[in-house]
Amino acid sequence: MEGGGLGLEITELRLGLPGATAVVTGKSEKKRAFSDLTDGDDDRKAAAPVAKSQVVGWPPVCSYRRKNATAEGSKSRCMKVSMDGAIYLRKIDLSLHKGYSELVTAVEKLFECYGLGEGLKDEERGERNKLIYEDKDGDWMLVGDVPWKMFIESCKRLRVMKRSEAKDLGLSKERDFLRGTFQLKDC
Amino acid sequence: MAYSFPEEVLEHVFSFLHSDRDRNAVSLVCKSWYEIDRWSRRRVFIGNCYAISPRAVIRRFPEVRSIKIKGKPHFADFNLVPDGWGGYVFPWITAMASSYPWLEEIHLKRMVVTNACLELIAKSFKNFRVLVLSTCEGFSTDGLASIAANCRNLRELDLRDSEVDDLSGHWLSHFPDSYTSLVSLNISCLGSEVSFSALERLVSRCPNLRSLSLNQAVPIDRIACLLRQAPQLIELGTGAYNAELRPDVFSSLSGAFSCLKELRSLSGFWDAVPAYIPAVYSVCSGITSLNLSYTTMQNPDLTKLVSQCPNLQQLWVLDYIEDCGLEAVAASCKDLRELRVFPSDPYEEDEFDIALTERGLVSVSEGCTNLQSVLYFCHQMSNAALISIAQNRPNLTRFRLCIIEPRSPDYLTLQPLDAGFGAIVEHCKGLRRLSLSGLLTDRVFEYIGTHAKKLEMLSVAFAGESDLGLHLVLSGCESLRKLEIRDCPFGDKALLANAEKLETMRSLWMSSCSVSFGACKLLCRRMPRLNVEVIDETSEVAESRPESFTVQKLYIYRSVAGPRLDMPDYVLSMEEESPDLIG
């Protein structure tokens, strides 16, 4: 199947059977604090050789459909939200919410994990989970740090994390200024 | 024959034949039947605009009222056909303008339509009624203005999925005040805002309006007043369905929907806000077609909406529906006939983060006994699931499965999916259309060649191991009309061995395969009524290519019109490359 003269070079595809190592795509190589904490289902991950964006015309979704999915005029800001222990990610549309309190409520509803809001407001007291997000630079930050509008622009994805782990990874320490701030920055 | 019926009687009998195939069969019986058919044929379908010249069609069928023409190959939808390839409708319009003054309907798919074409249509056909431009391009809203201004008897204007140069929404105001015959309007693909007052006046003065598909620019708070003017609507495509929840807007919308007693089809819902969805609940029990494939709405709201439609026959939705949603569909929508599930994020880099798997499709195949047509995008599949689906639903006629990762094996056994697709073709004896995906060896083509006797269209990607695969399909599938292949190790041998077969088909597309330049020339020499076109976007000059050069893209189609004259530089007709061809 492999071999020269097949014209397969043209597709820039690397042929890989299940079990082949993952090909790194154009994504940033930056080491993110939680990259080791992700799901342990490595078997399924291993069967993922090629980034789809490298293959022209695949998956076979019509141009007008692709246009609509990422329409310039579209105001939707759909973010993936993952939670430790949950197999499936959910998605949340940030543009549908006016501020942090609404967002937190929506996330709580999605995963049925209440008490997220408490964790945001008062670090020391909250024993529950924390809501964090990955920003444009690939850094993970506590939700609630920055003004809402700035947050919507820079947020790439969200995660509900166990409070203990967040502390271990030094998140709490760096965000000392949150202490004493009971007002979430809704703008 | 002495006992022949008079012509008028035969013509009357033929008028009950609606399928082209039946009429074609009738025309072959004898000369007089041929003549009667040609003079009474009112509808013509041209599956490939390059298969025959406009003159030849007009010569044979002088009294046509309705024509449907298709242009570019199907894979043009996925950006595999470069710009400027062809599919120009202008020669057809000019020919028909002088020969079909009574033409009423023009349906075009994947064609290049210019403003000049639209102006010519508007001027030439006094009784023009229906214009459907499906996935077309090349025109602007100025062209639409000509149609609006001049076609006094226009019933239908449907721009579905076309790419329109949207200069402004002003064109809609060109429908004169005296114009009242609109039955169907689909402008969902347009970006800019049409004048809302012009739209409202148009809707209110057209009492026969049955189908209205708005574009995103029509805001949710305007829909209610439109609907109140058109309670007779059967099909509605909303605009953007998104705004802050306001009780007055909600109740107005809700009230307007409840007046739509005949509504059967709903679509649109861009950026739908769940809070406004209950406004449509009153029509759900009558809905037979629901297209939610542009809405970002998720569960539970999405499933809740769909489960309220017990008479649903056609559902187009994004993978936000998830397995649980499809289970609900299987339980509530017992008359479902067509299901399409599109990927919300086709270029998703993380897998398995949408809760839609093969299980959803299996549920629907179990619960919906009338299911015939499936288009399904997902991340994982198993042979077991496919076998289940095949056994549950032997009445499937269209089965298109796209496992998003190329060459994905059965995720449970890590085996190829040959057996699964084999079960599909074996059980579904009436299968007419099939799209394959996942890890597939030549075996699957053996199954297809052996069992898929009614198969008319086959799409293959990243599959197979050798020429044998292609050979098995070409030699086994008796009803095959369209074959499109990409990124498969199929080459010269299978193609040349089945050259005659290609003339029984409409077309064959092969890209990123292993066909050589030399084989293309040879094929063209052997088969004079095939157009063999090689698409090559590299900058090398044609003459310098050796025989062994592997072509990038190949499009072969039967034609009685000879090679076309409108090819761009990157398309080479093998006819020119084979000068010793006997014409």
Side-chain angles (χ1 to χ4, degrees):
Chain A
M1 191 159 132
E2 289 85 352
L6 288 182
L8 291 169
E9 308 84 15
I10 299 165
T11 62
E12 298 168 10
L13 253 192
R14 279 227 238 126
L15 298 176
L17 292 173
T21 50
V23 170
V24 176
T25 69
K27 270 188 348 184
S28 158
E29 304 280 311
K30 224 191 280 190
K31 187 103 184 178
R32 282 175 275 114
F34 311 131
S35 54
D36 297 328
L37 301 174
T38 41
D39 47 44
D41 222 338
D42 285 334
D43 296 323
R44 292 144 111 204
K45 284 278 181 187
V50 174
K52 287 151 273 284
S53 46
Q54 284 183 354
V55 183
V56 174
W58 190 267
V61 176
C62 295
S63 336
Y64 58 85
R65 225 167 251 294
R66 266 180 279 123
K67 231 173 10 157
N68 276 308
T70 53
E72 280 140 33
S74 166
K75 302 172 228 111
S76 91
R77 296 279 295 139
C78 267
M79 297 291 142
K80 294 187 230 182
V81 191
S82 62
M83 181 166 92
D84 296 345
I87 305 176
Y88 296 117
L89 300 181
R90 305 309 299 265
K91 278 192 186 170
I92 228 170
D93 189 345
L94 291 184
S95 66
L96 297 179
H97 303 285
K98 290 200 293 291
Y100 285 116
S101 35
E102 273 190 30
L103 171 65
V104 164
T105 311
V107 174
E108 286 177 341
K109 237 175 79 173
L110 267 184
F111 287 107
E112 282 168 28
C113 62
Y114 299 97
L116 218 49
E118 311 302 310
L120 265 185
K121 276 194 230 135
D122 189 336
E123 278 191 58
E124 293 305 311
R125 229 136 16 103
E127 275 171 12
R128 294 128 175 145
N129 302 322
K130 281 207 165 336
L131 188 58
I132 58 177
Y133 73 100
E134 183 187 1
D135 73 2
K136 279 198 280 227
D137 303 322
D139 298 323
W140 288 86
M141 326 261 271
L142 276 175
V143 166
D145 277 358
V146 299
W148 175 253
K149 279 218 161 55
M150 201 186 298
F151 166 69
I152 302 189
E153 295 304 311
S154 61
C155 173
K156 270 174 51 185
R157 58 154 98 191
L158 293 156
R159 182 173 171 164
V160 178
M161 184 165 216
K162 291 212 197 73
R163 188 188 176 266
S164 50
E165 304 206 22
K167 203 171 184 188
D168 292 340
L169 282 140
L171 262 188
S172 322
K173 289 211 189 89
E174 285 165 20
R175 302 296 157 200
D176 267 8
F177 64 80
L178 246 195
R179 200 203 307 232
T181 340
F182 290 84
Q183 201 70 25
L184 293 172
K185 297 208 195 83
D186 289 335
C187 296
Chain B
M1 190 167 142
Y3 302 106
S4 201
F5 285 123
E7 275 187 22
E8 297 78 17
V9 175
L10 282 170
E11 192 178 314
H12 183 68
V13 172
F14 295 169
S15 70
F16 291 98
L17 299 173
H18 298 296
S19 112
D20 286 339
R21 283 183 205 185
D22 290 341
R23 293 214 57 147
N24 291 347
V26 144
S27 69
L28 292 174
V29 168
C30 63
K31 259 184 123 169
S32 76
W33 281 36
Y34 175 89
E35 286 298 313
I36 296 168
D37 168 66
R38 68 179 270 261
W39 283 97
S40 61
R41 189 90 72 114
R42 297 283 174 263
R43 306 185 150 267
V44 172
F45 170 67
I46 311 291
N48 175 2
C49 64
Y50 293 119
I52 189 167
S53 72
R55 283 273 125 237
V57 175
I58 293 168
R59 214 169 31 235
R60 175 156 175 200
F61 300 116
E63 296 286 339
V64 163
R65 298 281 182 272
S66 164
I67 190 160
K68 178 167 182 178
I69 314 173
K70 293 189 178 180
K72 299 186 207 171
H74 174 235
F75 273 0
D77 286 354
F78 316 130
N79 283 350
L80 288 177
V81 176
D83 279 342
W85 176 87
Y88 305 105
V89 79
F90 194 70
W92 288 86
I93 308 293
T94 38
M96 294 190 299
S98 48
S99 305
Y100 288 157
W102 300 113
L103 190 69
E104 294 173 6
E105 301 185 8
I106 296 177
H107 303 247
L108 304 175
K109 188 163 186 179
R110 289 191 205 97
M111 294 203 80
V112 176
V113 183
T114 58
N115 284 346
C117 296
L118 295 176
E119 279 151 23
L120 197 50
I121 291 171
K123 269 200 316 252
S124 315
F125 309 115
K126 296 294 169 234
N127 203 21
F128 194 66
R129 295 178 180 214
V130 174
L131 183 62
V132 177
L133 302 176
S134 175
T135 323
C136 293
E137 54 168 357
F139 61 102
S140 78
T141 41
D142 287 349
L144 296 179
S146 308
I147 297 284
N150 296 296
C151 300
R152 280 175 225 172
N153 293 312
L154 192 71
R155 304 269 191 277
E156 260 184 68
L157 178 59
D158 185 345
L159 305 175
R160 61 179 83 154
D161 308 320
S162 290
E163 222 176 277
V164 185
D165 189 5
D166 202 337
L167 303 172
S168 87
H170 192 61
W171 67 273
L172 195 79
S173 315
H174 284 253
F175 281 111
D177 291 337
S178 55
Y179 169 75
T180 58
S181 46
L182 194 62
V183 173
S184 168
L185 180 66
N186 179 355
I187 54 169
S188 54
C189 63
L190 295 181
S192 50
E193 211 170 289
V194 292
S195 150
F196 190 77
S197 54
L199 179 59
E200 206 191 338
R201 281 198 311 276
L202 182 62
V203 170
S204 66
R205 69 176 185 272
C206 295
N208 297 319
L209 188 66
R210 294 300 209 164
S211 173
L212 180 63
S213 298
L214 305 167
N215 63 344
Q216 279 189 67
V218 178
I220 194 175
D221 55 355
R222 305 285 209 146
I223 302 180
C225 71
L226 277 181
L227 298 185
R228 286 190 208 288
Q229 319 269 7
Q232 74 280 7
L233 280 179
I234 296 179
E235 290 179 4
L236 173 67
T238 72
Y241 208 72
N242 163 331
E244 257 182 53
L245 182 60
R246 280 167 43 200
D248 55 331
V249 173
F250 181 89
S251 63
S252 173
L253 196 55
S254 187
F257 269 105
S258 62
C259 296
L260 301 177
K261 303 290 182 208
E262 299 184 67
L263 198 70
R264 295 287 168 267
S265 166
L266 264 181
S267 61
F269 296 104
W270 281 282
D271 299 330
V273 161
Y276 274 110
I277 293 293
V280 311
Y281 283 173
S282 58
V283 296
C284 285
S285 58
I287 291 293
T288 55
S289 166
L290 195 51
N291 182 354
L292 298 171
S293 60
Y294 294 112
T295 185
T296 47
M297 200 167 48
Q298 295 175 61
N299 288 335
D301 306 290
L302 183 57
T303 297
K304 187 153 181 227
L305 174 59
V306 180
S307 337
Q308 305 222 10
C309 305
N311 291 310
L312 203 59
Q313 294 175 13
Q314 182 185 69
L315 176 63
W316 291 22
V317 76
L318 290 176
D319 53 13
Y320 292 135
I321 190 84
E322 299 176 336
D323 287 340
C324 58
L326 290 176
E327 271 160 47
V329 168
S332 339
C333 308
K334 289 309 197 181
D335 198 18
L336 194 71
R337 299 173 199 187
E338 177 179 322
L339 174 69
R340 296 196 192 186
V341 180
F342 297 97
S344 52
D345 194 347
Y347 309 110
E348 193 85 60
E349 303 239 331
D350 299 328
E351 294 180 20
F352 308 113
D353 62 359
I354 290 279
L356 178 100
T357 69
E358 80 284 5
R359 287 194 282 281
L361 185 55
V362 173
S363 314
V364 175
S365 77
E366 277 163 14
C368 303
T369 53
N370 291 330
L371 188 70
Q372 291 167 16
S373 172
V374 170
L375 169 60
Y376 201 76
F377 283 80
C378 61
H379 289 278
Q380 68 185 43
M381 188 50 62
S382 66
N383 282 311
L386 284 170
I387 292 169
S388 262
I389 293 164
Q391 288 171 341
N392 290 337
R393 291 276 65 78
N395 50 328
L396 284 175
T397 54
R398 291 179 192 79
F399 189 74
R400 292 191 276 167
L401 178 67
C402 178
I403 306 163
I404 294 180
E405 191 62 52
R407 301 196 185 85
S408 299
D410 175 327
Y411 77 102
L412 296 170
T413 65
L414 298 185
Q415 293 299 301
L417 290 168
D418 300 335
F421 280 104
I424 294 281
V425 293
E426 201 184 325
H427 290 271
C428 307
K429 302 204 193 298
L431 196 70
R432 295 200 306 268
R433 185 166 180 184
L434 177 65
S435 297
L436 306 174
S437 58
L439 183 66
L440 297 164
T441 70
D442 284 344
R443 206 73 223 253
V444 72
F445 299 109
E446 194 187 319
Y447 295 138
I448 293 172
T450 307
H451 296 287
K453 294 307 182 187
K454 296 275 162 68
L455 192 66
E456 296 177 7
M457 183 169 177
L458 178 64
S459 308
V460 187
F462 305 104
E465 301 159 299
S466 73
D467 265 40
L468 183 60
L470 180 57
H471 173 70
L472 289 163
V473 167
L474 289 176
S475 56
C477 296
E478 293 160 4
S479 311
L480 198 63
R481 294 189 299 117
K482 289 181 280 183
L483 180 56
E484 47 186 25
I485 301 172
R486 63 164 294 174
D487 293 277
C488 297
F490 299 149
D492 303 346
K493 272 186 7 197
L495 210 55
L496 293 171
N498 293 282
E500 284 75 21
K501 170 71 174 179
L502 298 179
E503 216 184 275
T504 69
M505 294 165 51
R506 184 190 295 172
S507 65
L508 166 64
W509 168 280
M510 291 178 75
S511 56
S512 306
C513 296
S514 319
V515 181
S516 74
F517 204 56
C520 294
K521 288 199 282 185
L522 200 54
L523 185 63
C524 187
R525 229 175 280 147
R526 276 179 55 188
M527 307 293 301
R529 285 185 304 187
L530 279 186
N531 281 0
V532 180
E533 294 179 10
V534 167
I535 294 175
D536 200 320
E537 296 171 87
T538 61
S539 52
E540 287 167 41
V541 180
E543 290 86 68
S544 65
R545 289 193 193 88
E547 300 285 286
S548 58
F549 178 80
T550 302
V551 305
Q552 270 182 9
K553 296 174 185 172
L554 176 60
Y555 186 50
I556 301 172
Y557 56 92
R558 65 180 177 187
S559 174
V560 295
R564 58 186 175 113
L565 304 170
D566 59 3
M567 289 176 287
D569 344 344
Y570 58 78
V571 177
L572 298 164
S573 161
M574 290 299 96
E575 186 105 358
E576 291 154 15
E577 305 289 321
S578 318
D580 34 330
L581 176 69
I582 302 164

